[in-house]
Amino acid sequence: MMTLSETAVAGPSFELTEEQRMLQDMVRDFATSTLAPRAAAYDRSCEFPHDNVKEMAELGLLGVTVPDTYGGAGMDTLAYTIVIEEIAKACASTAVIAAVQNSLVNFPLMKFGTEEQKKKYLPKLASGELIGAYSLTEPGSGSDAVAMQTRVRKEGNKYILNGTKVFVTNATGAELFIVYATLDPELKSKGVCAFIIEKNYPGFSVGRHEEMMGVRASGTSELILDNCEVPLENLLGTEGEGFKIALATLDVGRLGIAAQAIGIAQACLDYSLGYAQERKQFGKAIATFQLIQNKLVEMAVNIDAARMLLWRAAWLRERGQNFTKEASMAKLFASETAMKAGIEAVQVLGGYGYTKDYPVERYFRDAKITQIYEGTAEVQKIVIARHLTNPA
Amino acid sequence: MPDILQKAITQPPEASPEGGHTQVLLDAEHLAFRAELRAFVLREVVPIAEDYERAERFPSDLLKEKMAPQGYLGIPYPKEWGGRGLDYLAYAMAVEEFSRAWGSLGIIVAAHTTLGIGPLYNFGSESLKKAWVPRLAQGEIIGSYGLTEPQAGSDSGATHTTARRDGDGYILNGTKVFCTNATHAASTTLTAVTGKDAESGRSRISAFFVPRDTPGVMVTKHEDKLGLRGSDTSTVILEDARVSEHNMLGREGEGFKIFMQTLDNGRISIGAMALGLAQCALDEGLAYAHNGLGLFKSLFAEQETLALLADIATDISAARMMLYGVAKLKDAALPHTQEAAMAKFFASEVARRATDRVLNLLGRDGGIRHDCPASRAFRDVKLCTIGEGTSEVQRLVISRELLRNYAKGENK
């Protein structure tokens, strides 16, 4: 069986390996039969989908790229993006939960964690025994992460953290949190540290649950750190290395969000295409009208282009090359594709698309966040522009 | 963030974000009416909008107790008919200002005024008008409209609802869907097939005014919608509902023409609604940029944001000129099918882009939160590219009119 890294010698492959195809089929079956029927109810109730998460864990989808020595599936980046895309086609909330676990929690632990930290946490994360969350954003520091105000100080044999974090995906369902804090805001990026925090540490609590327009079941909440005590050994990386960890994590995270966006866009296309072939007006299926065909074609072309951008970024990463620009490009293009597809899917269904009897209005609401989290579309453009004007 | 709206609404006209164009286009009476509307909206609508929207509460109390006394439920109808006695331009401005604060209120007023009362006022018999128009225009009762059917959306000529002659009346059977206001309305104006044209074989469609308490009229299925959740959208079912022949609007077979004319006017309302929602997004974007939250401190050059606000404001200004222009055409009783379609198409697409882009600007500092007015406008505005004819239908209407006028020129 060829793996991606073997085929990569000659260039990127447009074909999935047998292993990746089997994974895609398996996740697609699971998402269609199990996640899709629950998606509307979770969207409505905003409850954290514990059953979805448990079943994903059983299929190994919460540790896709974690090496098998740590209990993971040991697969590559492309496999990971396939998993997220397939889940997002059925339920965008569940997809972001899986994306956070895989790319924002497992990844920084694998890359920057000590052997002890990896042994302690990775097997439990990969098996779903622990659900993870990631916490960088603060009320006054969104796109501008360096402006963070959450403080950390060392006191005896522990770190003490104080501050408030917002928009923490998975927070209501998670037991383990990667949290950033600064030794001193004056130090700017050099003062940032990353910590591994267990839910039961003194001074740690989950605050207000956000009611959001989309990805409503993603457990997004505030975190409150009130003299939160963290053992010294739970510093991730070294003191002051946090900003570097955050940036590296965001590169990987953007692949997950791009995959989520592509999944949402594909769901929009699939549903619109089916509807347009069924729905008759003026005596003909509306799919025979040029204006409707135009929408379906635009969706299909953009989705394919987005997927190719994503696969290129995944391929670069597997080769160990810098993929920051390519991850930003994939995330930017995929999220714009998802938003456009959401808009047009509602339009194809017309009045019916505006109701909750059909899933497309949910796709439309879910699509918007992909242009905002892991860096807004505007931030992606800044990242890309920097690489264009200062090539490495 | 009502303080943002408060600031925007209480600004003097020359300082308001819509710029100076309207100073030229509007006379003193319209400017005074706009000031009155803004004061009303700020006092009565802004404080309740989010709560009602969240609770999916139809604002019967607001309509009856606050808006009816001001004449806001019959703005373009003469005072002797119970209306406010203003023109269609004033009415369009009102829908715009209501929607700027609360999209649901905009569509409720639009559906009641243009669709619920319009066909009755323009095509009803004198006795039918006397019995109903004053009560509707004074806001004592609310009106609704039924054109769309499960299989007749954009193809509204494919109506299945039938009206069978029965002595001095008609017996109606069929289903109308997506009827705005229907659950709370005392009447529905609707279309039904009254026969087949012998030559073309096409259905002959007629228009009827159907009181809600007619036996056989049922209102069901309040739609659960993406946005405009404070407004009501329901299904009207007719099962052997008998109405008098005096309840026919216009003559037998004129129903499709009457409803298409009504849609010309309805498109002005939906354009006005889109404009108000776009303005709501701009209001929030301006307040955000003014307060310099988050983005501007370090990472961002401000150019992008400034350009974004300029783009939106320019788009809105152009849409407003088109919209007020077509309202004036209607007030001058000039043909306005093409212009109404253009204004509605342009305003709704402008509004969709404006709400989308402002949410990116606000990002997580509010844009994605469910209760942020710009986020509500983003959800509400999608209906504007669908209702009263989708953007695709508008473009077909516009091109048909263009080609028709071109052919006229060729023949001369």
Side-chain angles (χ1 to χ4, degrees):
Chain A
M1 191 194 308
M2 292 231 292
T3 67
L4 185 72
S5 42
E6 282 160 351
T7 62
V9 176
S13 166
F14 294 100
E15 212 172 7
L16 299 179
T17 63
E18 198 188 333
E19 188 187 25
Q20 287 161 347
R21 259 204 316 278
M22 282 166 56
L23 175 75
Q24 187 179 44
D25 288 345
M26 184 266 282
V27 183
R28 189 173 290 173
D29 286 348
F30 164 67
T32 311
S33 63
T34 305
L35 301 180
R38 298 172 183 164
Y42 276 124
D43 173 62
R44 194 166 290 251
S45 69
C46 298
E47 277 171 43
F48 191 80
H50 288 284
D51 50 356
N52 289 350
V53 173
K54 183 163 175 289
E55 287 161 79
M56 285 197 293
E58 284 161 5
L59 294 173
L61 305 182
L62 296 182
V64 180
T65 58
V66 173
D68 46 17
T69 46
Y70 297 105
M75 297 182 80
D76 65 9
T77 310
L78 183 57
Y80 162 60
T81 66
I82 290 167
V83 167
I84 300 301
E85 178 184 336
E86 292 301 327
I87 295 172
K89 271 161 68 179
C91 176
S93 289
T94 304
V96 73
I97 291 167
V100 165
Q101 178 96 343
N102 277 290
S103 50
L104 303 188
V105 181
N106 295 350
F107 164 73
L109 272 169
M110 285 190 280
K111 170 101 178 168
F112 299 98
T114 62
E115 194 52 38
E116 288 70 33
Q117 288 169 342
K118 290 195 227 181
K119 276 192 185 137
K120 183 172 179 189
Y121 294 118
L122 278 176
K124 289 182 177 174
L125 285 161
S127 70
E129 191 183 325
L130 282 180
I131 302 303
Y134 177 86
S135 167
L136 178 64
T137 301
E138 297 182 7
S141 116
S143 294
D144 183 9
V146 175
M148 79 171 55
Q149 295 297 317
T150 295
R151 299 292 291 263
V152 57
R153 64 175 197 275
K154 204 188 266 185
E155 217 177 80
N157 62 346
K158 44 184 164 304
Y159 289 103
I160 307 290
L161 276 69
N162 277 292
T164 302
K165 295 285 181 179
V166 293
F167 298 122
V168 182
T169 308
N170 286 5
T172 61
E175 291 91 11
L176 193 72
F177 298 78
I178 307 279
V179 176
Y180 292 85
T182 180
L183 291 162
D184 178 358
E186 294 294 307
L187 292 173
K188 302 270 169 76
S189 62
K190 293 186 178 68
V192 179
C193 309
F195 296 93
I196 308 161
I197 297 184
E198 296 181 23
K199 192 182 180 176
N200 56 8
Y201 285 176
F204 178 88
S205 60
V206 175
R208 188 171 78 103
H209 182 209
E210 292 290 348
E211 186 183 356
M212 297 188 297
M213 175 161 69
V215 291
R216 287 161 61 83
S218 58
T220 303
S221 295
E222 281 180 342
L223 293 187
I224 297 163
L225 304 155
D226 179 13
N227 287 317
C228 175
E229 297 174 18
V230 180
L232 293 184
E233 64 267 25
N234 275 40
L235 173 71
L236 183 62
T238 57
E239 284 186 8
E241 205 185 11
F243 197 68
K244 187 179 128 195
I245 297 174
L247 289 185
T249 305
L250 281 179
D251 283 348
V252 186
R254 282 167 189 161
L255 302 181
I257 300 310
Q260 183 198 25
I262 292 166
I264 294 169
Q266 185 70 51
C268 289
L269 174 59
D270 292 349
Y271 207 92
S272 309
L273 190 57
Y275 182 88
Q277 288 170 300
E278 293 281 317
R279 172 74 172 172
K280 287 195 170 62
Q281 289 284 274
F282 306 101
K284 285 191 281 190
I286 63 170
T288 63
F289 299 140
Q290 287 181 351
L291 286 178
I292 300 295
Q293 290 177 350
N294 182 37
K295 295 178 193 304
L296 299 172
V297 170
E298 291 280 339
M299 279 190 229
V301 174
N302 282 326
I303 290 168
D304 262 16
R307 196 178 281 122
M308 290 303 106
L309 283 172
L310 176 59
W311 286 12
R312 177 183 65 169
W315 172 76
L316 281 172
R317 177 166 189 250
E318 285 301 314
R319 284 166 57 109
Q321 287 180 263
N322 186 299
F323 64 102
T324 301
K325 181 181 76 177
E326 288 75 12
S328 273
M329 284 182 164
K331 196 272 194 188
L332 172 67
F333 191 80
S335 62
E336 307 264 314
T337 295
M339 192 66 248
K340 277 191 235 161
I343 288 166
E344 294 296 17
V346 173
Q347 194 71 15
V348 169
L349 270 71
Y352 292 104
Y354 201 70
T355 71
K356 291 183 186 273
D357 292 351
Y358 292 82
V360 290
E361 67 85 31
R362 171 163 53 85
Y363 305 155
F364 168 88
R365 285 183 287 107
D366 287 340
K368 188 69 213 173
I369 189 64
T370 65
Q371 292 179 300
I372 295 175
Y373 57 20
E374 312 287 277
T376 62
E378 292 69 24
V379 165
Q380 305 309 324
K381 287 180 185 169
I382 289 173
V383 171
I384 297 163
R386 273 190 198 144
H387 280 81
L388 292 175
T389 52
N390 293 305
Chain B
M1 288 186 244
D3 52 323
I4 293 167
L5 207 58
Q6 172 146 12
K7 186 165 165 46
I9 285 173
T10 51
Q11 273 167 337
E14 65 278 9
S16 61
E18 65 259 37
H21 289 120
T22 52
Q23 299 284 302
V24 182
L25 209 69
L26 300 177
D27 57 23
E29 192 189 1
H30 286 94
L31 286 170
F33 183 57
R34 191 172 68 181
E36 174 197 318
L37 287 166
R38 286 182 180 173
F40 176 86
V41 162
L42 187 59
R43 189 174 68 243
E44 307 291 353
V45 183
V46 170
I48 65 165
E50 180 56 30
D51 289 345
Y52 277 53
E53 183 72 11
R54 181 169 289 260
E56 293 185 58
R57 181 170 165 189
F58 188 84
S60 297
D61 45 355
L62 176 69
L63 296 171
K64 298 258 162 73
E65 292 159 27
K66 311 283 186 185
M67 297 183 65
Q70 298 284 338
Y72 291 162
L73 296 175
I75 293 169
Y77 300 104
K79 286 184 176 160
E80 56 270 33
W81 284 98
R84 173 78 186 242
L86 296 174
D87 56 14
Y88 214 75
L89 174 58
Y91 159 70
M93 288 164 51
V95 173
E96 178 188 348
E97 295 298 334
F98 296 148
S99 304
R100 182 178 180 178
W102 189 22
S104 291
L105 185 62
I107 200 168
I108 291 167
V109 172
H112 165 77
T113 309
T114 305
L115 308 181
I117 308 178
L120 170 68
Y121 180 77
N122 293 319
F123 301 97
S125 68
E126 205 61 16
S127 61
L128 188 68
K129 282 170 71 172
K130 277 196 178 128
W132 291 93
V133 171
R135 294 174 65 200
L136 285 161
Q138 285 163 4
E140 183 190 327
I141 53 174
I142 300 296
S144 67
Y145 174 87
L147 175 64
T148 300
E149 298 184 6
Q151 298 308 323
S154 294
D155 184 10
S156 54
T159 296
H160 279 63
T161 296
T162 57
R164 181 164 46 82
R165 188 82 205 192
D166 176 54
D168 61 354
Y170 286 90
I171 293 179
L172 299 165
N173 278 289
T175 301
K176 296 289 181 180
V177 296
F178 299 131
C179 304
T180 305
N181 293 349
T183 303
H184 303 272
S187 65
T188 305
T189 49
L190 52 81
T191 49
V193 177
T194 44
K196 262 202 181 350
D197 194 90
E199 277 175 38
S200 67
R202 286 203 193 122
S203 296
R204 290 176 63 82
I205 295 173
S206 302
F208 293 90
F209 179 85
V210 181
R212 171 78 168 82
D213 58 8
T214 306
V217 176
M218 279 158 292
V219 179
T220 61
K221 191 171 187 275
H222 166 80
E223 297 285 350
D224 195 358
K225 305 189 296 297
L226 167 66
L228 301 171
R229 297 172 66 80
S231 77
D232 166 64
T233 310
S234 296
T235 298
V236 175
I237 298 172
L238 305 153
E239 271 182 21
D240 291 330
R242 188 181 191 282
V243 294
S244 154
E245 62 187 1
H246 301 299
N247 283 37
M248 183 182 275
L249 306 173
R251 285 199 296 272
E252 196 270 333
E254 282 186 344
F256 194 67
K257 193 184 81 189
I258 289 172
F259 269 52
M260 288 304 111
Q261 282 181 23
T262 305
L263 282 185
D264 284 348
N265 302 331
R267 283 168 188 157
I268 301 176
S269 320
I270 298 297
M273 185 183 153
L275 207 50
L277 292 168
Q279 187 68 50
C280 165
L282 178 58
D283 292 342
E284 297 247 345
L286 284 172
Y288 187 80
H290 174 75
N291 294 334
L293 288 174
L295 304 187
F296 309 103
K297 286 177 194 156
S298 58
L299 195 61
F300 268 66
E302 292 184 27
Q303 283 186 347
E304 269 291 317
T305 305
L306 296 174
L308 183 151
L309 294 172
D311 289 351
I312 295 172
T314 306
D315 273 358
I316 293 176
S317 205
R320 185 175 284 114
M321 293 304 104
M322 286 173 82
L323 192 85
Y324 289 6
V326 65
K328 287 193 151 195
L329 272 180
K330 172 168 165 47
D331 284 327
L334 292 166
H336 56 277
T337 299
Q338 177 188 319
E339 292 77 7
M342 281 179 164
K344 187 270 196 192
F345 169 53
F346 189 69
S348 60
E349 295 292 341
V350 158
R352 194 180 54 63
R353 281 197 296 272
T355 52
D356 182 45
R357 294 189 66 189
V358 165
L359 283 203
N360 277 29
L361 172 64
L362 268 57
R364 294 191 136 184
D365 290 325
I368 204 69
R369 286 205 165 110
H370 199 267
D371 58 358
C372 165
S375 152
R376 197 172 69 216
F378 173 81
R379 284 172 276 133
D380 291 347
V381 81
K382 194 71 196 84
L383 188 274
C384 298
T385 66
I386 298 171
E388 252 81 322
T390 61
S391 289
E392 293 66 39
V393 165
Q394 303 310 320
R395 284 138 88 191
L396 297 180
V397 170
I398 294 163
S399 57
R400 191 187 61 203
E401 292 295 313
L402 289 171
L403 289 168
R404 182 180 291 166
N405 290 331
Y406 184 82
K408 273 186 206 158
E410 287 284 280
N411 293 338
K412 269 176 195 165

